[in-house]
Amino acid sequence: MKYSPLEKLLWSIALPGFGQYLNGKLFKGTFFLILEILINVRSNFNEIIIYSFRGEIHCAIENANYQWLMFYPCLYFFAIWDAYKESGGGGRYSFFPFVFSAYFVTIGLIYSENFKIFGVLLGPVWLPMLFVIPGILSGFTITKIMKV
């Protein structure tokens, strides 16, 4: 069965490694999945997601293991890009939105303990997610500049 690049990208967003499985890259998919689980468990990521969804941002911050959580953005966006690229998606500079998203999400994570937007502390889940937006926009802008 043939899957579209978009479908593989979306499955990879759901869980790193799934896009690689759809591409038939079982070893690589398993590698990404194991890394995702390791980083997730060591960083307490599921726990901080639950606290964040409940609005308990200070509990999310207290329970986050930032030393491990810092690995997540690069692994996550690399796995998404890899699944998309391996499926024939994108062009020569299509990696820029993924790379810049990883950079910006990492910066959002670094400042998530104390950076407030309109007086609201967003914490280690919501602030990095917001930082995806400037990452994608920067990446697409650089892509357009490079194509000129």
Side-chain angles (χ1 to χ4, degrees), residues 67-131:
Q67 295 298 314
W68 278 93
L69 196 54
M70 292 290 294
F71 289 111
Y72 199 80
C74 289
L75 169 70
Y76 187 72
F77 285 102
F78 181 79
I80 295 168
W81 167 77
D82 180 73
Y84 184 63
K85 174 192 63 115
E86 290 283 331
S87 66
R92 183 175 177 190
Y93 299 111
S94 64
F95 62 91
F96 280 120
F98 300 97
V99 171
F100 278 89
S101 292
Y103 295 161
F104 276 85
V105 169
T106 301
I107 291 168
L109 187 57
I110 290 167
Y111 289 103
S112 67
E113 290 184 74
N114 51 27
F115 187 84
K116 295 180 181 181
I117 296 179
F118 301 115
V120 176
L121 183 65
L122 298 175
V125 171
W126 303 119
L127 187 66
M129 285 175 66
L130 279 179
F131 274 50

Coordinates of all heavy atoms in Angstrom, one line a residue, residues 67-131:
Q67 N 17.0 18.4 31.6 CA 18.2 17.8 31.0 C 17.8 16.8 29.9 O 18.5 16.7 28.9 CB 19.0 17.2 32.1 CG 19.6 18.2 33.1 CD 20.5 19.2 32.4 OE1 21.4 18.9 31.6 NE2 20.3 20.5 32.8
W68 N 16.8 16.1 30.1 CA 16.3 15.1 29.1 C 15.3 15.8 28.1 O 15.4 15.4 26.9 CB 15.6 13.9 29.8 CG 16.6 12.9 30.3 CD1 17.2 12.9 31.5 CD2 17.2 11.9 29.5 NE1 18.1 11.8 31.6 CE2 18.1 11.2 30.4 CE3 17.1 11.5 28.2 CZ2 18.9 10.1 30.0 CZ3 17.8 10.4 27.8 CH2 18.7 9.7 28.7
L69 N 14.5 16.6 28.6 CA 13.5 17.3 27.7 C 14.1 18.1 26.6 O 13.6 18.2 25.5 CB 12.6 18.1 28.6 CG 11.2 18.6 28.0 CD1 10.4 17.4 27.5 CD2 10.4 19.4 29.0
M70 N 15.3 18.6 26.8 CA 16.0 19.4 25.8 C 16.3 18.6 24.6 O 16.5 19.1 23.5 CB 17.3 20.0 26.4 CG 17.1 21.0 27.5 SD 16.4 22.5 26.8 CE 17.7 23.1 25.8
F71 N 16.4 17.3 24.7 CA 16.6 16.4 23.5 C 15.4 16.3 22.6 O 15.5 16.0 21.4 CB 17.1 15.0 23.9 CG 18.5 15.0 24.5 CD1 18.6 14.7 25.9 CD2 19.6 15.2 23.8 CE1 19.9 14.6 26.5 CE2 20.8 15.1 24.3 CZ 21.0 14.8 25.7
Y72 N 14.2 16.5 23.2 CA 13.0 16.1 22.5 C 12.8 16.9 21.2 O 12.4 16.3 20.2 CB 11.8 16.2 23.4 CG 10.6 15.4 22.9 CD1 10.6 14.1 23.0 CD2 9.6 16.1 22.2 CE1 9.5 13.3 22.5 CE2 8.5 15.4 21.7 CZ 8.5 14.0 21.9 OH 7.5 13.3 21.3
P73 N 12.9 18.3 21.2 CA 12.6 19.0 20.0 C 13.4 18.6 18.8 O 12.8 18.4 17.7 CB 12.9 20.5 20.3 CG 12.7 20.5 21.8 CD 13.2 19.2 22.3
C74 N 14.7 18.4 18.9 CA 15.5 18.0 17.8 C 15.1 16.6 17.3 O 15.0 16.3 16.1 CB 17.0 18.1 18.1 SG 17.5 19.8 18.2
L75 N 15.0 15.6 18.2 CA 14.5 14.3 17.8 C 13.2 14.3 17.1 O 13.0 13.7 16.0 CB 14.4 13.4 19.0 CG 13.8 12.0 18.8 CD1 14.7 11.1 17.9 CD2 13.4 11.3 20.0
Y76 N 12.3 15.0 17.7 CA 10.9 15.1 17.1 C 10.9 15.7 15.7 O 10.3 15.1 14.8 CB 10.1 16.0 18.1 CG 8.6 16.0 17.8 CD1 7.8 14.9 18.0 CD2 8.0 17.2 17.3 CE1 6.4 14.9 17.7 CE2 6.7 17.2 17.0 CZ 5.9 16.1 17.2 OH 4.5 16.1 17.0
F77 N 11.5 16.8 15.5 CA 11.4 17.5 14.2 C 12.3 16.7 13.2 O 12.0 16.7 12.0 CB 11.8 19.0 14.3 CG 10.6 19.7 14.9 CD1 10.6 20.2 16.2 CD2 9.5 20.0 14.1 CE1 9.6 20.9 16.7 CE2 8.4 20.7 14.6 CZ 8.5 21.1 15.9
F78 N 13.4 16.1 13.6 CA 14.2 15.4 12.7 C 13.5 14.1 12.2 O 13.5 13.8 11.0 CB 15.5 14.9 13.3 CG 16.4 14.1 12.4 CD1 17.2 14.8 11.4 CD2 16.4 12.8 12.4 CE1 17.9 14.1 10.5 CE2 17.2 12.0 11.5 CZ 18.0 12.7 10.6
A79 N 12.8 13.5 13.1 CA 12.0 12.3 12.7 C 10.9 12.7 11.7 O 10.6 11.9 10.8 CB 11.4 11.6 13.9
I80 N 10.2 13.8 12.0 CA 9.2 14.3 11.1 C 9.8 14.6 9.7 O 9.2 14.1 8.7 CB 8.5 15.5 11.6 CG1 7.7 15.1 12.9 CG2 7.5 16.1 10.6 CD1 7.2 16.4 13.7
W81 N 10.8 15.3 9.7 CA 11.5 15.7 8.4 C 12.0 14.4 7.7 O 11.8 14.3 6.5 CB 12.7 16.6 8.6 CG 13.5 16.8 7.4 CD1 13.3 17.5 6.3 CD2 14.8 16.1 7.2 NE1 14.3 17.4 5.4 CE2 15.2 16.5 5.9 CE3 15.6 15.3 7.9 CZ2 16.4 16.1 5.4 CZ3 16.7 14.8 7.4 CH2 17.2 15.2 6.1
D82 N 12.6 13.5 8.4 CA 13.1 12.3 7.8 C 12.0 11.5 7.1 O 12.1 11.0 6.0 CB 13.8 11.4 8.8 CG 14.4 10.2 8.2 OD1 15.4 10.3 7.5 OD2 13.8 9.1 8.5
A83 N 10.9 11.3 7.8 CA 9.7 10.6 7.2 C 9.2 11.3 6.0 O 8.9 10.6 5.0 CB 8.6 10.4 8.3
Y84 N 9.1 12.6 6.0 CA 8.6 13.4 4.9 C 9.6 13.3 3.7 O 9.2 13.0 2.6 CB 8.4 14.8 5.4 CG 7.8 15.7 4.3 CD1 6.5 15.5 3.9 CD2 8.5 16.8 3.9 CE1 6.0 16.4 2.9 CE2 8.0 17.7 3.0 CZ 6.7 17.5 2.5 OH 6.2 18.4 1.6
K85 N 10.9 13.5 4.0 CA 11.9 13.4 2.9 C 12.0 12.1 2.3 O 12.0 11.9 1.1 CB 13.3 13.8 3.5 CG 14.4 13.7 2.6 CD 15.8 13.7 3.3 CE 15.9 12.6 4.3 NZ 16.9 11.7 4.1
E86 N 12.0 11.0 3.1 CA 12.1 9.6 2.6 C 10.9 9.2 1.7 O 11.0 8.3 0.9 CB 12.3 8.6 3.7 CG 13.6 8.7 4.4 CD 14.7 8.1 3.6 OE1 14.4 7.1 2.9 OE2 15.9 8.5 3.8
S87 N 9.8 9.9 1.9 CA 8.6 9.6 1.1 C 8.5 10.4 -0.2 O 7.5 10.3 -0.9 CB 7.3 9.8 2.0 OG 7.2 11.2 2.2
G88 N 9.5 11.2 -0.4 CA 9.6 12.0 -1.6 C 9.0 13.4 -1.5 O 8.8 14.1 -2.4
G89 N 8.6 13.8 -0.2 CA 8.0 15.1 0.0 C 9.1 16.2 0.0 O 10.2 16.0 0.3
G90 N 8.6 17.4 -0.4 CA 9.5 18.5 -0.3 C 10.5 18.6 -1.4 O 10.7 17.7 -2.2
G91 N 11.3 19.7 -1.4 CA 12.3 19.9 -2.4 C 13.7 20.0 -1.7 O 13.9 19.6 -0.6
R92 N 14.6 20.7 -2.4 CA 16.0 20.8 -2.0 C 16.1 21.5 -0.6 O 17.0 21.1 0.2 CB 16.7 21.6 -3.0 CG 18.2 21.7 -2.8 CD 18.9 22.4 -3.9 NE 20.3 22.6 -3.6 CZ 21.1 23.3 -4.3 NH1 20.7 23.9 -5.4 NH2 22.3 23.4 -4.0
Y93 N 15.3 22.5 -0.3 CA 15.5 23.2 0.9 C 14.3 23.0 1.9 O 14.0 23.8 2.8 CB 15.6 24.7 0.6 CG 16.8 25.1 -0.2 CD1 16.7 25.5 -1.5 CD2 18.1 24.9 0.3 CE1 17.8 25.8 -2.3 CE2 19.2 25.2 -0.4 CZ 19.0 25.7 -1.7 OH 20.1 25.9 -2.5
S94 N 13.6 21.9 1.7 CA 12.4 21.7 2.5 C 12.7 21.4 4.0 O 11.8 21.4 4.8 CB 11.6 20.5 1.9 OG 12.3 19.3 2.0
F95 N 13.9 21.2 4.3 CA 14.3 20.9 5.7 C 14.3 22.1 6.6 O 14.2 22.0 7.8 CB 15.7 20.2 5.8 CG 16.8 21.1 5.2 CD1 17.5 21.9 6.1 CD2 17.2 21.1 3.9 CE1 18.5 22.7 5.6 CE2 18.2 21.8 3.4 CZ 18.9 22.7 4.3
F96 N 14.4 23.3 6.0 CA 14.5 24.6 6.8 C 13.3 24.7 7.8 O 13.6 25.0 8.9 CB 14.6 25.8 5.9 CG 16.0 26.0 5.4 CD1 16.3 26.0 4.0 CD2 17.1 26.2 6.3 CE1 17.6 26.2 3.6 CE2 18.4 26.4 5.8 CZ 18.6 26.4 4.5
P97 N 12.1 24.6 7.4 CA 11.0 24.7 8.4 C 11.1 23.8 9.6 O 10.8 24.1 10.7 CB 9.7 24.5 7.6 CG 10.1 24.8 6.2 CD 11.5 24.4 6.1
F98 N 11.6 22.6 9.3 CA 11.7 21.6 10.4 C 12.9 21.9 11.3 O 12.8 21.9 12.5 CB 12.0 20.2 9.8 CG 10.8 19.7 8.9 CD1 10.9 19.8 7.6 CD2 9.7 19.1 9.5 CE1 9.9 19.4 6.7 CE2 8.7 18.7 8.7 CZ 8.7 18.8 7.3
V99 N 14.0 22.3 10.7 CA 15.2 22.7 11.5 C 14.9 23.9 12.3 O 15.2 23.9 13.5 CB 16.4 23.0 10.5 CG1 17.6 23.6 11.3 CG2 16.8 21.7 9.9
F100 N 14.3 25.0 11.7 CA 14.1 26.2 12.5 C 13.0 25.9 13.6 O 13.1 26.6 14.6 CB 13.7 27.3 11.6 CG 14.9 28.0 11.0 CD1 15.5 27.5 9.8 CD2 15.6 29.0 11.6 CE1 16.6 28.1 9.3 CE2 16.7 29.6 11.1 CZ 17.2 29.2 9.9
S101 N 12.1 25.1 13.3 CA 11.1 24.7 14.4 C 11.8 24.1 15.5 O 11.5 24.4 16.7 CB 10.0 23.8 13.8 OG 9.2 24.5 12.9
A102 N 12.7 23.2 15.3 CA 13.5 22.5 16.3 C 14.2 23.6 17.2 O 14.3 23.5 18.4 CB 14.4 21.5 15.8
Y103 N 14.9 24.5 16.5 CA 15.6 25.6 17.2 C 14.7 26.4 18.0 O 15.0 26.6 19.2 CB 16.3 26.5 16.2 CG 17.4 25.9 15.3 CD1 17.8 26.6 14.1 CD2 18.1 24.8 15.6 CE1 18.8 26.1 13.3 CE2 19.0 24.2 14.8 CZ 19.4 24.9 13.7 OH 20.4 24.4 12.9
F104 N 13.6 26.9 17.5 CA 12.7 27.8 18.2 C 12.0 27.0 19.3 O 11.8 27.6 20.4 CB 11.7 28.4 17.3 CG 12.2 29.6 16.6 CD1 12.9 29.5 15.4 CD2 12.0 30.9 17.1 CE1 13.4 30.7 14.8 CE2 12.5 32.0 16.5 CZ 13.2 31.9 15.3
V105 N 11.6 25.8 19.1 CA 11.0 25.1 20.2 C 12.0 24.8 21.4 O 11.6 24.9 22.5 CB 10.4 23.7 19.7 CG1 10.0 22.8 20.9 CG2 9.2 24.0 18.8
T106 N 13.2 24.6 21.1 CA 14.2 24.4 22.1 C 14.4 25.7 22.9 O 14.5 25.7 24.1 CB 15.6 24.0 21.5 OG1 15.4 22.8 20.8 CG2 16.7 23.9 22.5
I107 N 14.4 26.9 22.2 CA 14.5 28.2 22.9 C 13.2 28.4 23.7 O 13.3 28.8 24.9 CB 14.6 29.3 21.8 CG1 16.0 29.2 21.2 CG2 14.4 30.7 22.5 CD1 16.2 30.1 20.0
G108 N 12.1 28.0 23.2 CA 10.8 28.1 24.0 C 10.9 27.3 25.3 O 10.5 27.7 26.4
L109 N 11.5 26.1 25.1 CA 11.7 25.2 26.3 C 12.6 25.8 27.3 O 12.4 25.8 28.5 CB 12.2 23.8 25.8 CG 12.3 22.7 26.8 CD1 10.9 22.5 27.5 CD2 12.8 21.5 26.1
I110 N 13.7 26.4 26.9 CA 14.7 27.0 27.8 C 14.0 28.1 28.6 O 14.3 28.2 29.8 CB 15.9 27.6 27.0 CG1 16.7 26.4 26.4 CG2 16.7 28.5 27.8 CD1 17.7 26.9 25.3
Y111 N 13.2 28.9 28.0 CA 12.6 30.0 28.7 C 11.2 29.7 29.4 O 10.6 30.5 30.0 CB 12.4 31.2 27.8 CG 13.8 31.8 27.5 CD1 14.4 31.6 26.3 CD2 14.4 32.6 28.4 CE1 15.6 32.2 26.0 CE2 15.7 33.2 28.1 CZ 16.2 32.9 26.9 OH 17.5 33.5 26.6
S112 N 10.8 28.5 29.2 CA 9.4 28.1 29.7 C 9.2 28.2 31.2 O 8.0 28.3 31.6 CB 9.1 26.7 29.2 OG 9.9 25.7 29.8
E113 N 10.2 28.2 32.0 CA 10.0 28.3 33.4 C 9.6 29.6 33.9 O 9.0 29.7 35.0 CB 11.3 27.9 34.1 CG 11.7 26.4 34.0 CD 12.9 26.1 34.8 OE1 12.8 26.0 36.1 OE2 14.0 25.9 34.2
N114 N 9.9 30.7 33.1 CA 9.7 32.0 33.6 C 9.1 33.0 32.6 O 8.8 34.1 32.9 CB 10.9 32.6 34.3 CG 12.1 32.5 33.5 OD1 12.1 32.5 32.3 ND2 13.3 32.4 34.1
F115 N 9.1 32.6 31.3 CA 8.6 33.5 30.3 C 7.1 33.6 30.3 O 6.4 32.5 30.2 CB 9.2 33.1 28.9 CG 8.9 34.0 27.8 CD1 9.7 35.1 27.6 CD2 7.8 33.9 27.0 CE1 9.5 36.0 26.5 CE2 7.6 34.7 25.9 CZ 8.4 35.8 25.7
K116 N 6.6 34.8 30.4 CA 5.1 35.0 30.4 C 4.6 35.7 29.2 O 5.3 36.6 28.7 CB 4.7 35.7 31.6 CG 4.9 35.0 32.9 CD 4.5 35.8 34.1 CE 4.8 35.0 35.4 NZ 4.4 35.7 36.6
I117 N 3.5 35.4 28.7 CA 2.9 36.1 27.6 C 1.6 36.7 28.1 O 0.7 36.0 28.6 CB 2.6 35.2 26.4 CG1 3.9 34.6 25.8 CG2 1.8 35.9 25.3 CD1 3.8 33.7 24.6
F118 N 1.5 38.0 28.1 CA 0.4 38.8 28.7 C 0.2 38.4 30.1 O -1.0 38.2 30.6 CB -0.9 38.6 27.8 CG -0.8 39.0 26.4 CD1 -0.9 38.1 25.4 CD2 -0.5 40.3 26.1 CE1 -0.7 38.5 24.0 CE2 -0.4 40.8 24.8 CZ -0.5 39.8 23.7
G119 N 1.3 38.2 30.8 CA 1.2 37.8 32.3 C 0.9 36.4 32.6 O 0.7 36.0 33.7
V120 N 0.8 35.5 31.5 CA 0.4 34.1 31.7 C 1.7 33.3 31.5 O 2.3 33.3 30.5 CB -0.7 33.7 30.7 CG1 -1.0 32.2 30.9 CG2 -1.9 34.5 30.9
L121 N 2.0 32.5 32.5 CA 3.1 31.5 32.4 C 2.6 30.3 31.7 O 1.6 29.6 32.2 CB 3.6 31.1 33.8 CG 4.7 30.2 33.9 CD1 6.0 30.8 33.3 CD2 5.0 29.8 35.4
L122 N 3.2 29.9 30.6 CA 2.7 28.8 29.7 C 3.4 27.5 30.0 O 2.8 26.4 29.7 CB 2.8 29.2 28.3 CG 1.9 30.4 27.9 CD1 2.2 30.8 26.4 CD2 0.5 30.2 28.1
G123 N 4.6 27.5 30.5 CA 5.3 26.3 30.9 C 5.9 25.5 29.8 O 6.0 26.0 28.6
P124 N 6.4 24.3 30.1 CA 7.2 23.5 29.2 C 6.4 22.8 28.1 O 7.1 22.1 27.3 CB 7.9 22.5 30.1 CG 6.9 22.4 31.3 CD 6.3 23.7 31.5
V125 N 5.1 23.0 28.0 CA 4.4 22.4 26.9 C 3.9 23.5 26.0 O 4.2 23.5 24.8 CB 3.2 21.5 27.4 CG1 2.3 21.0 26.2 CG2 3.8 20.2 28.1
W126 N 3.1 24.4 26.5 CA 2.4 25.4 25.7 C 3.4 26.4 25.1 O 3.2 26.8 23.9 CB 1.3 26.1 26.5 CG 0.3 25.2 27.0 CD1 0.0 25.0 28.4 CD2 -0.5 24.3 26.3 NE1 -0.9 24.0 28.5 CE2 -1.3 23.6 27.2 CE3 -0.7 24.0 25.0 CZ2 -2.2 22.6 26.9 CZ3 -1.6 23.0 24.6 CH2 -2.3 22.3 25.5
L127 N 4.4 26.9 25.8 CA 5.3 27.9 25.3 C 6.1 27.3 24.1 O 6.2 27.9 23.0 CB 6.2 28.5 26.3 CG 7.1 29.7 25.8 CD1 6.3 30.9 25.4 CD2 8.1 30.1 26.9
P128 N 6.7 26.2 24.3 CA 7.4 25.6 23.1 C 6.5 25.3 21.9 O 6.9 25.5 20.8 CB 8.0 24.3 23.7 CG 8.2 24.5 25.1 CD 7.0 25.4 25.5
M129 N 5.3 24.9 22.2 CA 4.4 24.7 21.0 C 4.1 26.1 20.3 O 4.0 26.1 19.1 CB 3.0 24.1 21.5 CG 3.1 22.7 21.9 SD 1.7 22.0 22.6 CE 0.5 22.1 21.3
L130 N 4.0 27.2 21.0 CA 3.8 28.5 20.4 C 5.0 28.8 19.6 O 4.9 29.5 18.5 CB 3.5 29.5 21.4 CG 2.1 29.7 21.9 CD1 2.0 30.8 23.0 CD2 1.2 29.9 20.8
F131 N 6.2 28.4 20.0 CA 7.4 28.7 19.3 C 7.6 28.0 18.0 O 8.5 28.3 17.2 CB 8.7 28.5 20.2 CG 9.0 29.7 21.1 CD1 8.0 30.3 21.9 CD2 10.2 30.2 21.2 CE1 8.3 31.4 22.7 CE2 10.5 31.3 22.0 CZ 9.5 31.9 22.7

